């Protein structure tokens, strides 16, 4: 596939288990309007939250191959479950390629921001089972400050309920209430939203947590890190106008567009279906 000879003109690639990562792409589009983006949602294999580390590593490597073939200058893992389980394997793979493409994930920027935010040293984490089981947030928080405690809560029902539950109903409120209860009991003053879907219920979470609890989302923290990475690697696109963004998915493109508009809060346009296995076999 052809790619622009100036590496700065190449797109930033972002991937996720489905449409949830569009909440992260939204932040990137706002912070870095001059960049081009290509987003891949692995909707055929959604959800990732109950997958094993082995599965998530394999999926992430397949997707990375596809996005590198499309000329990505930077790879961003918007999915918390994929970052938590597969970032080390992805980084190791990137080191083996001759393309010199870096990969950034959502865990560390969020953990660092949460440690900066907490005043009482108790941080809560709401995330999928795969993310909690990986222990990645605990490691990142302790690397930033070993005196800070992390209280993780796995919420297996929450992402599917958010995806299905629009407009929000009482059942969704009850799931959110159940997830938040252990965090209120533990007296955390900062909560990490460790899943791409959770920013969509932020007002509900804030109301149940109370106004004194700070909420940290991955999009804003990651966008700052991406901006830094582009600057330090001299990869920032020098254009002054707006770049473009396009979408790939492994499942039904129409379903992706319908659902995705809600998560991105911007028009989506064309969505292309990709077959990752077919690429591998080719
Ligand atoms: N993107 C996924 C995550 O952040 C959403 C949930 C899922 O796929 O199970 O973990």
């Amino acid at each position: 596939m052809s790619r622009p000879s100036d590496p700065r003109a190449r797109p930033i690639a972002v991937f996720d288990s489905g449409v949830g990562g569009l909440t992260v792409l939204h932040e990137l589009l706002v912070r870095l309007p001059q960049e081009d983006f290509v987003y891949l949602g692995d909707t055929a294999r959604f959800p990732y939250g109950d997958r094993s580390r082995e599965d998530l590593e394999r999926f992430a490597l397949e997707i990375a191959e596809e996005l590198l073939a499309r000329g990505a200058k930077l790879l961003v893992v918007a999915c918390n479950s994929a970052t938590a389980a597969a970032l080390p394997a992805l980084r190791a793979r990137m080191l083996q390629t001759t393309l010199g493409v870096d990969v950034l994930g959502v865990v560390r920027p969020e953990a660092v921001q949460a440690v900066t935010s907490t005043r009482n040293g108790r941080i809560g984490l709401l995330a999928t089972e795969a993310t909690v089981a990986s222990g990645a947030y605990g490691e990142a928080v302790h690397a930033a400050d070993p005196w800070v405690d992390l209280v993780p809560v796995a919420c297996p029902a929450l992402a599917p309920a958010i995806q299905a539950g629009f407009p929000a109903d009482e059942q969704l409120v009850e799931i959110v209430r159940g997830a938040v209860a252990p965090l209120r009991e533990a007296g955390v003053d900062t909560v990490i939203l460790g899943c791409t879907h959770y920013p969509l219920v932020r007002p509900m979470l804030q109301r149940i947590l109370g106004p004194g609890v700070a909420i940290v989302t991955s999009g804003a923290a990651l966008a700052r890190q991406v901006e830094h990475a582009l600057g330090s690697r001299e990869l920032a696109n020098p254009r002054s106008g707006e770049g473009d963004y396009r979408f790939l998915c492994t499942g039904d493109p129409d379903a992706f567009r319908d659902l995705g508009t809600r998560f991105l809060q911007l028009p989506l346009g064309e969505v292309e279906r990709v077959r990752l296995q077919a690429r591998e076999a080719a």
Side-chain angles (χ1 to χ4, degrees), residues 199-242:
L200 265 66
V201 290
R202 185 181 181 148
M204 201 187 288
L205 279 163
Q206 189 78 70
R207 179 169 151 80
I208 299 171
L209 283 164
V213 176
I215 288 180
V216 176
T217 60
S218 53
L222 178 73
R224 275 194 295 278
Q225 211 204 330
V226 170
E227 190 175 27
H228 162 83
L230 293 176
S232 58
R233 288 155 182 75
E234 297 186 1
L235 279 176
N237 195 312
R239 77 154 73 85
S240 53
E242 285 164 32

mmCIF file of all heavy atoms in Angstrom, residues 199-242:
data_model
loop_
_atom_site.group_PDB
_atom_site.id
_atom_site.type_symbol
_atom_site.label_atom_id
_atom_site.label_comp_id
_atom_site.label_asym_id
_atom_site.label_seq_id
_atom_site.Cartn_x
_atom_site.Cartn_y
_atom_site.Cartn_z
ATOM 1 N N PRO A 199 -17.377 6.923 29.967
ATOM 2 C CA PRO A 199 -17.624 8.372 29.890
ATOM 3 C C PRO A 199 -19.064 8.715 29.498
ATOM 4 O O PRO A 199 -19.556 9.785 29.817
ATOM 5 C CB PRO A 199 -16.626 8.847 28.824
ATOM 6 C CG PRO A 199 -15.514 7.850 28.893
ATOM 7 C CD PRO A 199 -16.177 6.531 29.203
ATOM 8 N N LEU A 200 -19.734 7.777 28.828
ATOM 9 C CA LEU A 200 -21.130 8.043 28.444
ATOM 10 C C LEU A 200 -22.069 8.102 29.642
ATOM 11 O O LEU A 200 -23.172 8.645 29.526
ATOM 12 C CB LEU A 200 -21.624 6.995 27.440
ATOM 13 C CG LEU A 200 -21.514 7.401 25.972
ATOM 14 C CD1 LEU A 200 -20.094 7.546 25.522
ATOM 15 C CD2 LEU A 200 -22.261 6.432 25.086
ATOM 16 N N VAL A 201 -21.676 7.523 30.781
ATOM 17 C CA VAL A 201 -22.531 7.622 31.974
ATOM 18 C C VAL A 201 -21.838 8.465 33.063
ATOM 19 O O VAL A 201 -22.135 8.330 34.240
ATOM 20 C CB VAL A 201 -22.935 6.231 32.528
ATOM 21 C CG1 VAL A 201 -23.900 5.539 31.586
ATOM 22 C CG2 VAL A 201 -21.738 5.332 32.803
ATOM 23 N N ARG A 202 -20.953 9.326 32.637
ATOM 24 C CA ARG A 202 -20.215 10.153 33.602
ATOM 25 C C ARG A 202 -21.127 10.970 34.524
ATOM 26 O O ARG A 202 -20.910 10.984 35.745
ATOM 27 C CB ARG A 202 -19.232 11.059 32.855
ATOM 28 C CG ARG A 202 -18.370 11.840 33.798
ATOM 29 C CD ARG A 202 -17.408 12.742 33.086
ATOM 30 N NE ARG A 202 -16.611 13.434 34.082
ATOM 31 C CZ ARG A 202 -15.385 13.805 33.915
ATOM 32 N NH1 ARG A 202 -14.761 13.583 32.785
ATOM 33 N NH2 ARG A 202 -14.734 14.424 34.868
ATOM 34 N N PRO A 203 -22.154 11.662 33.992
ATOM 35 C CA PRO A 203 -23.006 12.434 34.907
ATOM 36 C C PRO A 203 -23.676 11.558 35.963
ATOM 37 O O PRO A 203 -23.772 11.937 37.133
ATOM 38 C CB PRO A 203 -24.053 13.058 33.974
ATOM 39 C CG PRO A 203 -23.439 13.026 32.611
ATOM 40 C CD PRO A 203 -22.548 11.839 32.576
ATOM 41 N N MET A 204 -24.115 10.366 35.537
ATOM 42 C CA MET A 204 -24.744 9.428 36.472
ATOM 43 C C MET A 204 -23.744 8.977 37.539
ATOM 44 O O MET A 204 -24.041 8.946 38.735
ATOM 45 C CB MET A 204 -25.199 8.213 35.639
ATOM 46 C CG MET A 204 -26.268 7.367 36.245
ATOM 47 S SD MET A 204 -26.525 5.896 35.221
ATOM 48 C CE MET A 204 -27.339 6.526 33.787
ATOM 49 N N LEU A 205 -22.529 8.670 37.096
ATOM 50 C CA LEU A 205 -21.477 8.252 38.033
ATOM 51 C C LEU A 205 -21.147 9.370 39.023
ATOM 52 O O LEU A 205 -21.019 9.140 40.226
ATOM 53 C CB LEU A 205 -20.196 7.889 37.256
ATOM 54 C CG LEU A 205 -20.158 6.502 36.637
ATOM 55 C CD1 LEU A 205 -19.060 6.418 35.570
ATOM 56 C CD2 LEU A 205 -19.901 5.445 37.717
ATOM 57 N N GLN A 206 -21.022 10.596 38.494
ATOM 58 C CA GLN A 206 -20.645 11.730 39.356
ATOM 59 C C GLN A 206 -21.718 11.970 40.413
ATOM 60 O O GLN A 206 -21.411 12.241 41.577
ATOM 61 C CB GLN A 206 -20.436 12.989 38.503
ATOM 62 C CG GLN A 206 -19.842 14.152 39.264
ATOM 63 C CD GLN A 206 -18.334 13.992 39.481
ATOM 64 O OE1 GLN A 206 -17.563 14.073 38.557
ATOM 65 N NE2 GLN A 206 -17.926 13.765 40.733
ATOM 66 N N ARG A 207 -22.978 11.847 40.010
ATOM 67 C CA ARG A 207 -24.091 12.064 40.949
ATOM 68 C C ARG A 207 -24.066 11.024 42.068
ATOM 69 O O ARG A 207 -24.261 11.347 43.235
ATOM 70 C CB ARG A 207 -25.411 12.000 40.171
ATOM 71 C CG ARG A 207 -26.636 12.171 41.008
ATOM 72 C CD ARG A 207 -27.836 12.370 40.093
ATOM 73 N NE ARG A 207 -29.055 11.869 40.709
ATOM 74 C CZ ARG A 207 -29.756 12.527 41.615
ATOM 75 N NH1 ARG A 207 -29.374 13.721 41.995
ATOM 76 N NH2 ARG A 207 -30.845 11.998 42.131
ATOM 77 N N ILE A 208 -23.779 9.764 41.708
ATOM 78 C CA ILE A 208 -23.797 8.696 42.717
ATOM 79 C C ILE A 208 -22.520 8.738 43.580
ATOM 80 O O ILE A 208 -22.561 8.482 44.786
ATOM 81 C CB ILE A 208 -23.993 7.317 42.032
ATOM 82 C CG1 ILE A 208 -25.340 7.298 41.296
ATOM 83 C CG2 ILE A 208 -23.927 6.185 43.039
ATOM 84 C CD1 ILE A 208 -25.565 6.100 40.398
ATOM 85 N N LEU A 209 -21.396 9.095 42.956
ATOM 86 C CA LEU A 209 -20.136 9.194 43.723
ATOM 87 C C LEU A 209 -20.135 10.416 44.639
ATOM 88 O O LEU A 209 -19.499 10.417 45.691
ATOM 89 C CB LEU A 209 -18.939 9.317 42.767
ATOM 90 C CG LEU A 209 -18.480 8.040 42.067
ATOM 91 C CD1 LEU A 209 -17.578 8.386 40.881
ATOM 92 C CD2 LEU A 209 -17.735 7.127 43.041
ATOM 93 N N GLY A 210 -20.825 11.465 44.204
ATOM 94 C CA GLY A 210 -20.815 12.735 44.947
ATOM 95 C C GLY A 210 -19.863 13.715 44.287
ATOM 96 O O GLY A 210 -18.891 13.315 43.634
ATOM 97 N N PRO A 211 -20.129 15.024 44.469
ATOM 98 C CA PRO A 211 -19.366 16.055 43.740
ATOM 99 C C PRO A 211 -17.902 16.169 44.180
ATOM 100 O O PRO A 211 -17.082 16.734 43.464
ATOM 101 C CB PRO A 211 -20.134 17.350 44.054
ATOM 102 C CG PRO A 211 -20.927 17.049 45.282
ATOM 103 C CD PRO A 211 -21.211 15.586 45.286
ATOM 104 N N GLY A 212 -17.560 15.624 45.358
ATOM 105 C CA GLY A 212 -16.179 15.753 45.853
ATOM 106 C C GLY A 212 -15.224 14.721 45.258
ATOM 107 O O GLY A 212 -14.015 14.769 45.523
ATOM 108 N N VAL A 213 -15.733 13.785 44.493
ATOM 109 C CA VAL A 213 -14.865 12.733 43.941
ATOM 110 C C VAL A 213 -14.473 13.104 42.513
ATOM 111 O O VAL A 213 -15.331 13.419 41.688
ATOM 112 C CB VAL A 213 -15.588 11.362 43.965
ATOM 113 C CG1 VAL A 213 -14.742 10.286 43.306
ATOM 114 C CG2 VAL A 213 -15.917 10.971 45.405
ATOM 115 N N ALA A 214 -13.160 13.079 42.245
ATOM 116 C CA ALA A 214 -12.671 13.419 40.900
ATOM 117 C C ALA A 214 -12.757 12.199 39.997
ATOM 118 O O ALA A 214 -12.422 11.085 40.412
ATOM 119 C CB ALA A 214 -11.226 13.900 40.973
ATOM 120 N N ILE A 215 -13.209 12.421 38.770
ATOM 121 C CA ILE A 215 -13.291 11.331 37.787
ATOM 122 C C ILE A 215 -12.212 11.543 36.732
ATOM 123 O O ILE A 215 -12.046 12.642 36.202
ATOM 124 C CB ILE A 215 -14.693 11.302 37.133
ATOM 125 C CG1 ILE A 215 -15.727 10.782 38.156
ATOM 126 C CG2 ILE A 215 -14.696 10.432 35.886
ATOM 127 C CD1 ILE A 215 -17.151 10.705 37.627
ATOM 128 N N VAL A 216 -11.459 10.461 36.450
ATOM 129 C CA VAL A 216 -10.398 10.529 35.441
ATOM 130 C C VAL A 216 -10.806 9.641 34.261
ATOM 131 O O VAL A 216 -11.101 8.464 34.453
ATOM 132 C CB VAL A 216 -9.052 10.046 36.027
ATOM 133 C CG1 VAL A 216 -7.967 10.023 34.961
ATOM 134 C CG2 VAL A 216 -8.636 10.912 37.204
ATOM 135 N N THR A 217 -10.824 10.209 33.054
ATOM 136 C CA THR A 217 -11.146 9.421 31.859
ATOM 137 C C THR A 217 -9.882 9.254 31.006
ATOM 138 O O THR A 217 -8.936 10.035 31.134
ATOM 139 C CB THR A 217 -12.228 10.114 31.005
ATOM 140 O OG1 THR A 217 -11.735 11.386 30.601
ATOM 141 C CG2 THR A 217 -13.514 10.295 31.786
ATOM 142 N N SER A 218 -9.904 8.260 30.140
ATOM 143 C CA SER A 218 -8.667 7.982 29.413
ATOM 144 C C SER A 218 -8.414 8.945 28.258
ATOM 145 O O SER A 218 -7.273 9.256 27.947
ATOM 146 C CB SER A 218 -8.656 6.545 28.904
ATOM 147 O OG SER A 218 -9.821 6.281 28.172
ATOM 148 N N GLY A 219 -9.489 9.438 27.623
ATOM 149 C CA GLY A 219 -9.307 10.213 26.400
ATOM 150 C C GLY A 219 -8.437 11.445 26.575
ATOM 151 O O GLY A 219 -7.467 11.633 25.830
ATOM 152 N N ALA A 220 -8.776 12.263 27.577
ATOM 153 C CA ALA A 220 -8.053 13.530 27.738
ATOM 154 C C ALA A 220 -6.587 13.275 28.114
ATOM 155 O O ALA A 220 -5.665 13.907 27.569
ATOM 156 C CB ALA A 220 -8.735 14.379 28.805
ATOM 157 N N ALA A 221 -6.366 12.317 29.030
ATOM 158 C CA ALA A 221 -4.992 12.020 29.477
ATOM 159 C C ALA A 221 -4.167 11.466 28.312
ATOM 160 O O ALA A 221 -3.001 11.832 28.112
ATOM 161 C CB ALA A 221 -5.032 11.022 30.636
ATOM 162 N N LEU A 222 -4.774 10.598 27.522
ATOM 163 C CA LEU A 222 -4.059 9.997 26.391
ATOM 164 C C LEU A 222 -3.760 11.032 25.313
ATOM 165 O O LEU A 222 -2.674 11.029 24.719
ATOM 166 C CB LEU A 222 -4.897 8.862 25.801
ATOM 167 C CG LEU A 222 -4.291 8.189 24.578
ATOM 168 C CD1 LEU A 222 -3.105 7.324 24.972
ATOM 169 C CD2 LEU A 222 -5.317 7.354 23.853
ATOM 170 N N ALA A 223 -4.717 11.916 25.056
ATOM 171 C CA ALA A 223 -4.520 12.921 24.002
ATOM 172 C C ALA A 223 -3.285 13.780 24.295
ATOM 173 O O ALA A 223 -2.516 14.112 23.395
ATOM 174 C CB ALA A 223 -5.771 13.789 23.866
ATOM 175 N N ARG A 224 -3.094 14.111 25.569
ATOM 176 C CA ARG A 224 -1.891 14.884 25.929
ATOM 177 C C ARG A 224 -0.633 14.083 25.634
ATOM 178 O O ARG A 224 0.361 14.598 25.170
ATOM 179 C CB ARG A 224 -1.937 15.270 27.416
ATOM 180 C CG ARG A 224 -2.734 16.538 27.673
ATOM 181 C CD ARG A 224 -2.474 17.072 29.070
ATOM 182 N NE ARG A 224 -2.965 16.146 30.090
ATOM 183 C CZ ARG A 224 -4.228 16.085 30.490
ATOM 184 N NH1 ARG A 224 -5.115 16.896 29.964
ATOM 185 N NH2 ARG A 224 -4.602 15.232 31.422
ATOM 186 N N GLN A 225 -0.679 12.770 25.928
ATOM 187 C CA GLN A 225 0.510 11.949 25.687
ATOM 188 C C GLN A 225 0.795 11.797 24.196
ATOM 189 O O GLN A 225 1.943 11.794 23.764
ATOM 190 C CB GLN A 225 0.364 10.583 26.349
ATOM 191 C CG GLN A 225 1.731 10.058 26.765
ATOM 192 C CD GLN A 225 1.799 8.541 26.889
ATOM 193 O OE1 GLN A 225 0.806 7.905 27.204
ATOM 194 N NE2 GLN A 225 2.974 7.995 26.652
ATOM 195 N N VAL A 226 -0.271 11.673 23.410
ATOM 196 C CA VAL A 226 -0.087 11.554 21.959
ATOM 197 C C VAL A 226 0.534 12.849 21.418
ATOM 198 O O VAL A 226 1.465 12.819 20.609
ATOM 199 C CB VAL A 226 -1.433 11.251 21.252
ATOM 200 C CG1 VAL A 226 -1.302 11.365 19.744
ATOM 201 C CG2 VAL A 226 -1.929 9.855 21.635
ATOM 202 N N GLU A 227 0.046 13.985 21.900
ATOM 203 C CA GLU A 227 0.590 15.275 21.457
ATOM 204 C C GLU A 227 2.082 15.357 21.787
ATOM 205 O O GLU A 227 2.909 15.758 20.961
ATOM 206 C CB GLU A 227 -0.170 16.409 22.154
ATOM 207 C CG GLU A 227 0.147 17.767 21.597
ATOM 208 C CD GLU A 227 -0.732 18.838 22.231
ATOM 209 O OE1 GLU A 227 -1.186 18.666 23.387
ATOM 210 O OE2 GLU A 227 -0.953 19.864 21.561
ATOM 211 N N HIS A 228 2.418 14.925 22.999
ATOM 212 C CA HIS A 228 3.824 14.921 23.416
ATOM 213 C C HIS A 228 4.646 13.997 22.517
ATOM 214 O O HIS A 228 5.734 14.363 22.055
ATOM 215 C CB HIS A 228 3.918 14.466 24.880
ATOM 216 C CG HIS A 228 5.282 14.023 25.265
ATOM 217 N ND1 HIS A 228 6.272 14.910 25.641
ATOM 218 C CD2 HIS A 228 5.846 12.794 25.292
ATOM 219 C CE1 HIS A 228 7.379 14.226 25.885
ATOM 220 N NE2 HIS A 228 7.147 12.949 25.682
ATOM 221 N N ALA A 229 4.121 12.782 22.252
ATOM 222 C CA ALA A 229 4.871 11.804 21.447
ATOM 223 C C ALA A 229 5.118 12.339 20.038
ATOM 224 O O ALA A 229 6.214 12.189 19.489
ATOM 225 C CB ALA A 229 4.110 10.483 21.394
ATOM 226 N N LEU A 230 4.106 12.990 19.451
ATOM 227 C CA LEU A 230 4.281 13.532 18.097
ATOM 228 C C LEU A 230 5.343 14.628 18.093
ATOM 229 O O LEU A 230 6.188 14.693 17.198
ATOM 230 C CB LEU A 230 2.958 14.101 17.568
ATOM 231 C CG LEU A 230 1.842 13.099 17.311
ATOM 232 C CD1 LEU A 230 0.576 13.835 16.876
ATOM 233 C CD2 LEU A 230 2.241 12.073 16.252
ATOM 234 N N GLY A 231 5.296 15.492 19.112
ATOM 235 C CA GLY A 231 6.255 16.597 19.193
ATOM 236 C C GLY A 231 7.679 16.081 19.375
ATOM 237 O O GLY A 231 8.598 16.466 18.646
ATOM 238 N N SER A 232 7.875 15.162 20.318
ATOM 239 C CA SER A 232 9.232 14.718 20.630
ATOM 240 C C SER A 232 9.817 13.861 19.509
ATOM 241 O O SER A 232 11.021 13.778 19.355
ATOM 242 C CB SER A 232 9.259 13.970 21.965
ATOM 243 O OG SER A 232 8.378 12.882 21.905
ATOM 244 N N ARG A 233 8.972 13.235 18.691
ATOM 245 C CA ARG A 233 9.464 12.404 17.580
ATOM 246 C C ARG A 233 9.445 13.158 16.249
ATOM 247 O O ARG A 233 9.670 12.572 15.200
ATOM 248 C CB ARG A 233 8.604 11.136 17.452
ATOM 249 C CG ARG A 233 8.848 10.152 18.576
ATOM 250 C CD ARG A 233 7.647 9.259 18.803
ATOM 251 N NE ARG A 233 7.823 8.331 19.904
ATOM 252 C CZ ARG A 233 7.760 8.661 21.191
ATOM 253 N NH1 ARG A 233 7.566 9.920 21.530
ATOM 254 N NH2 ARG A 233 7.934 7.757 22.135
ATOM 255 N N GLU A 234 9.125 14.452 16.307
ATOM 256 C CA GLU A 234 9.014 15.291 15.101
ATOM 257 C C GLU A 234 8.067 14.665 14.080
ATOM 258 O O GLU A 234 8.369 14.565 12.897
ATOM 259 C CB GLU A 234 10.396 15.564 14.501
ATOM 260 C CG GLU A 234 11.247 16.353 15.464
ATOM 261 C CD GLU A 234 12.582 16.789 14.894
ATOM 262 O OE1 GLU A 234 12.861 16.492 13.725
ATOM 263 O OE2 GLU A 234 13.324 17.433 15.641
ATOM 264 N N LEU A 235 6.923 14.205 14.571
ATOM 265 C CA LEU A 235 5.940 13.553 13.708
ATOM 266 C C LEU A 235 4.632 14.343 13.588
ATOM 267 O O LEU A 235 3.696 13.886 12.941
ATOM 268 C CB LEU A 235 5.611 12.152 14.255
ATOM 269 C CG LEU A 235 6.586 11.026 13.920
ATOM 270 C CD1 LEU A 235 6.175 9.738 14.625
ATOM 271 C CD2 LEU A 235 6.678 10.794 12.414
ATOM 272 N N ALA A 236 4.564 15.520 14.222
ATOM 273 C CA ALA A 236 3.314 16.297 14.172
ATOM 274 C C ALA A 236 3.050 16.779 12.746
ATOM 275 O O ALA A 236 3.963 17.257 12.065
ATOM 276 C CB ALA A 236 3.398 17.482 15.125
ATOM 277 N N ASN A 237 1.819 16.664 12.308
ATOM 278 C CA ASN A 237 1.457 17.109 10.961
ATOM 279 C C ASN A 237 1.548 18.643 10.903
ATOM 280 O O ASN A 237 0.905 19.321 11.708
ATOM 281 C CB ASN A 237 0.035 16.636 10.626
ATOM 282 C CG ASN A 237 -0.259 16.746 9.144
ATOM 283 O OD1 ASN A 237 0.008 17.772 8.526
ATOM 284 N ND2 ASN A 237 -0.777 15.679 8.567
ATOM 285 N N PRO A 238 2.318 19.195 9.945
ATOM 286 C CA PRO A 238 2.512 20.660 9.925
ATOM 287 C C PRO A 238 1.348 21.438 9.310
ATOM 288 O O PRO A 238 1.372 22.659 9.322
ATOM 289 C CB PRO A 238 3.778 20.815 9.071
ATOM 290 C CG PRO A 238 3.800 19.615 8.187
ATOM 291 C CD PRO A 238 3.097 18.496 8.918
ATOM 292 N N ARG A 239 0.313 20.764 8.796
ATOM 293 C CA ARG A 239 -0.775 21.512 8.141
ATOM 294 C C ARG A 239 -1.513 22.399 9.165
ATOM 295 O O ARG A 239 -1.519 22.122 10.362
ATOM 296 C CB ARG A 239 -1.749 20.579 7.433
ATOM 297 C CG ARG A 239 -2.717 19.861 8.329
ATOM 298 C CD ARG A 239 -4.006 19.490 7.587
ATOM 299 N NE ARG A 239 -3.932 18.417 6.629
ATOM 300 C CZ ARG A 239 -4.042 17.116 6.923
ATOM 301 N NH1 ARG A 239 -4.181 16.713 8.157
ATOM 302 N NH2 ARG A 239 -3.981 16.206 5.977
ATOM 303 N N SER A 240 -2.134 23.479 8.674
ATOM 304 C CA SER A 240 -2.822 24.381 9.603
ATOM 305 C C SER A 240 -4.319 24.094 9.681
ATOM 306 O O SER A 240 -4.971 24.413 10.663
ATOM 307 C CB SER A 240 -2.568 25.840 9.214
ATOM 308 O OG SER A 240 -2.898 26.008 7.868
ATOM 309 N N GLY A 241 -4.881 23.481 8.634
ATOM 310 C CA GLY A 241 -6.323 23.182 8.648
ATOM 311 C C GLY A 241 -6.626 21.869 9.359
ATOM 312 O O GLY A 241 -5.772 21.309 10.046
ATOM 313 N N GLU A 242 -7.857 21.402 9.163
ATOM 314 C CA GLU A 242 -8.273 20.150 9.805
ATOM 315 C C GLU A 242 -7.909 18.938 8.951
ATOM 316 O O GLU A 242 -8.036 18.980 7.730
ATOM 317 C CB GLU A 242 -9.790 20.142 9.989
ATOM 318 C CG GLU A 242 -10.264 21.034 11.100
ATOM 319 C CD GLU A 242 -11.761 21.289 10.989
ATOM 320 O OE1 GLU A 242 -12.491 20.401 10.514
ATOM 321 O OE2 GLU A 242 -12.165 22.400 11.379
#
